[in-house]
Amino acid sequence: MKIVLGIGGGIAAYKAAELARALLEPGHEVQVIMTQAAQEFVRPLTFAALTGRKVITGMFPAQTGGDTLASAVEHIAVATSSDLLVVAPATADLMAKFAHGLADDFLSTLYLAFTGPVVLAPAMNTNMWRHAATQRNLETLQQRGHHIVGPEEGELACGMVGPGRMSEPEKIAAAVCAVLSARRDLEGETVLVTAGPTQEPLDPVRFISNRSSGKMGYALAEAARARGAEVVLVSGPVALGPPAGVKVVRVRTAVEMREAVLAHLEWASIIVKAAAVADYHLARVPEHKMKKTAARLSVELDPTPDILAEVGRRKGGRLLVGFAAETQDLVAEARRKLVSKGCDLLVGNRVDREGVGFESDDNEVTLVSCTGEVTPLPRAPKRELADRIYDELLKLRLTIHAAR
Ligand code: PMT
């Protein structure tokens, strides 16, 4: 898992080094972000050496470790690619910023852009902790669902005795691990995912197909399983192994895919259609290989069944996620497909750009929801985007239910 460790400016910042080590131990990736004040207490080099990564020390390119436009929006990239944000020590100032949505440095800006679980380990002087302002901020942060670890009672660096001491790194690391393993928000759901291309035969040895590798759909199946869902993956012909714990139904043509999808329709509570289904096929495939006799060959193709549109008509209360593979007018086309195919969420992606779309490990998508929201998700590994898609889908379900 990818963890962001935010370090605030307090004497307890030195304990964050132990925390980084404890988080690295089970194999997590740890990206450290230090506020300006934190750097007065501990040098970023300590954390760079521990984590093997450049420490982010500020908002602007020289501080984020880059000199390009990409580094100027680094907070978004880090926010969208991370599984959890832990802030230790969480100072009174950071808690106030988070509670009120101030965004004047990298950590507070990332906090606003981050949609995953947040763990805060407060540390401050006893009077600051007890102050009505801090307690009000604490309440706000708790209501937001953040996990608060500590503070502990004891002797503080300022000489006072009382609550305010940051919890020990092992305790914070244990809380982080508990939160990560508790992300089972799809438990009880039955998720049907389609992936890969279809192959439409022209004769017994030739077929029409496309460049889909199945990576996007397999990532969606894997993510749903990791979050506790039962998953059936209807897969066209691909070179990928089955994701752990997922039932795979292998199909070849659009007609076979339709049958497999409809067979699981009643069972599914969420349907995600990432497959690149051929739009046309030869309705009657010749029994024997075509001979090379004519100088020119014309083949008349018929439309394949539109599986997504059919599911859209029959979905009842199920959540339906469609995809749109486009080379132009991404948002307009995604909107059109969302409505015409009866989806709740449409994932639009460009398939004419290097490094994203077909075959690549990464993708860059724009989500269009039935409530009219348009959410661009920047380039990231398909597995990470899969999680973001479920995050947005679960939020959308709450909005749909609230509107009923
Ligand atoms: O497999 P990868 O290499 O990882 O690439 C991922 C991807 C680019 C294939 C994936 O992200 C993607 O965009 N999938 C949908 C591709 C597609 O068929 O898009 P479309 O715009 O042509 O179709 C719109 C939707 O209708 C899709 O959800 C598709 O599954 C569905 N459809 C299309 C035709 C058809 N006959 N039946 C369908 O259900």
Side-chain angles (χ1 to χ4, degrees):
M1 294 279 187
K2 290 190 176 171
I3 297 174
V4 177
L5 169 56
I7 304 174
I11 184 69
Y14 79 93
K15 287 197 203 170
E18 269 304 306
L19 175 58
R21 233 169 43 86
L23 295 173
L24 287 162
E25 223 163 62
H28 298 306
E29 282 179 32
V30 178
Q31 173 64 64
V32 172
I33 298 169
M34 298 182 78
T35 64
Q36 200 71 48
Q39 294 163 55
E40 298 292 328
F41 290 90
V42 198
R43 300 278 301 142
L45 190 60
T46 307
F47 294 97
L50 278 171
T51 62
R53 287 169 176 273
K54 188 142 190 127
V55 171
I56 299 175
T57 53
M59 234 2 232
F60 298 101
Q63 301 153 322
T64 57
D67 54 5
T68 61
L69 179 62
S71 64
V73 289
E74 180 80 359
H75 55 288
I76 305 291
V78 177
T80 52
S81 66
S82 303
D83 297 295
L84 182 140
L85 167 64
V86 52
V87 181
T91 58
D93 175 58
L94 279 175
M95 288 176 67
K97 276 184 185 162
F98 294 166
H100 294 277
L102 292 183
D104 63 353
D105 65 3
F106 197 100
L107 184 55
S108 50
T109 310
L110 172 125
Y111 169 81
L112 283 187
F114 184 66
T115 57
V118 176
V119 177
L120 302 174
M124 64 199 73
N125 161 275
T126 298
N127 288 346
M128 289 170 77
W129 173 251
R130 287 186 175 141
H131 196 284
T134 305
Q135 288 302 306
R136 173 67 66 86
N137 292 336
L138 174 69
E139 216 172 282
T140 303
L141 297 168
Q142 280 171 326
Q143 277 166 2
R144 229 170 258 169
H146 298 345
H147 306 266
I148 313 291
V149 187
E152 313 293 333
E153 297 231 3
E155 191 174 342
L156 307 179
C158 59
M160 280 183 92
V161 176
R165 202 157 53 85
M166 189 171 91
S167 295
E168 289 308 311
E170 301 76 50
K171 184 172 173 185
I172 304 168
V176 166
C177 290
V179 171
L180 281 175
S181 59
R183 198 173 180 222
R184 308 270 297 172
D185 51 3
L186 289 176
E187 212 146 43
E189 302 288 348
T190 40
V191 180
L192 175 61
V193 181
T194 69
T198 63
Q199 290 179 355
E200 308 300 334
L202 294 173
D203 70 13
V205 298
R206 301 180 176 93
F207 57 80
I208 305 171
S209 192
N210 58 63
R211 287 170 40 213
S212 171
S213 64
K215 286 179 185 172
M216 189 70 238
Y218 275 58
L220 283 153
E222 211 178 279
R225 182 67 198 138
R227 289 165 77 154
E230 264 188 69
V231 183
V232 169
L233 173 61
V234 176
S235 173
V238 297
L240 303 173
V246 168
K247 178 183 166 196
V248 181
V249 179
R250 297 199 184 274
V251 297
R252 186 176 178 210
T253 63
V255 169
E256 288 171 15
M257 187 169 276
R258 173 180 174 273
E259 269 169 33
V261 167
L262 294 184
H264 291 90
L265 191 57
E266 287 301 314
W267 167 86
S269 61
I270 296 175
I271 301 148
V272 185
K273 289 220 67 261
V277 186
D279 288 320
Y280 292 93
H281 67 169
L282 199 59
R284 280 202 190 153
V285 181
E287 197 183 333
H288 298 289
K289 185 178 168 217
M290 284 190 271
K291 297 276 182 226
K292 187 181 165 189
T293 45
R296 168 168 286 168
L297 176 70
S298 306
V299 185
E300 246 179 53
L301 301 173
D302 290 305
T304 54
D306 191 326
I307 310 165
L308 182 60
E310 186 170 354
V311 172
R313 286 192 297 274
R314 296 171 54 173
K315 75 184 174 87
R318 295 168 186 84
L319 283 175
L320 179 58
V321 182
F323 270 69
E326 306 298 338
T327 55
Q328 56 184 350
D329 303 333
L330 182 65
V331 175
E333 277 305 301
R335 259 201 204 108
R336 189 181 64 74
K337 287 179 181 170
L338 173 93
V339 174
S340 69
K341 301 195 184 216
C343 298
D344 298 291
L345 190 67
L346 208 297
V347 183
N349 52 185
R350 295 287 299 239
V351 286
D352 56 344
R353 293 190 174 158
E354 263 307 290
V356 295
F358 284 121
E359 298 165 302
S360 55
D361 291 332
D362 288 357
N363 209 353
E364 181 183 341
V365 305
T366 298
L367 308 184
V368 179
S369 80
C370 59
T371 52
E373 244 177 278
V374 175
T375 313
L377 301 181
R379 179 173 168 167
K382 285 177 175 168
R383 180 61 178 76
E384 287 176 24
L385 286 174
D387 267 322
R388 289 298 313 278
I389 291 167
Y390 289 120
D391 291 345
E392 295 301 322
L393 187 66
L394 292 179
K395 276 193 234 158
L396 177 64
R397 174 149 72 187
L398 290 179
T399 314
I400 294 172
H401 284 177
R404 277 187 189 147

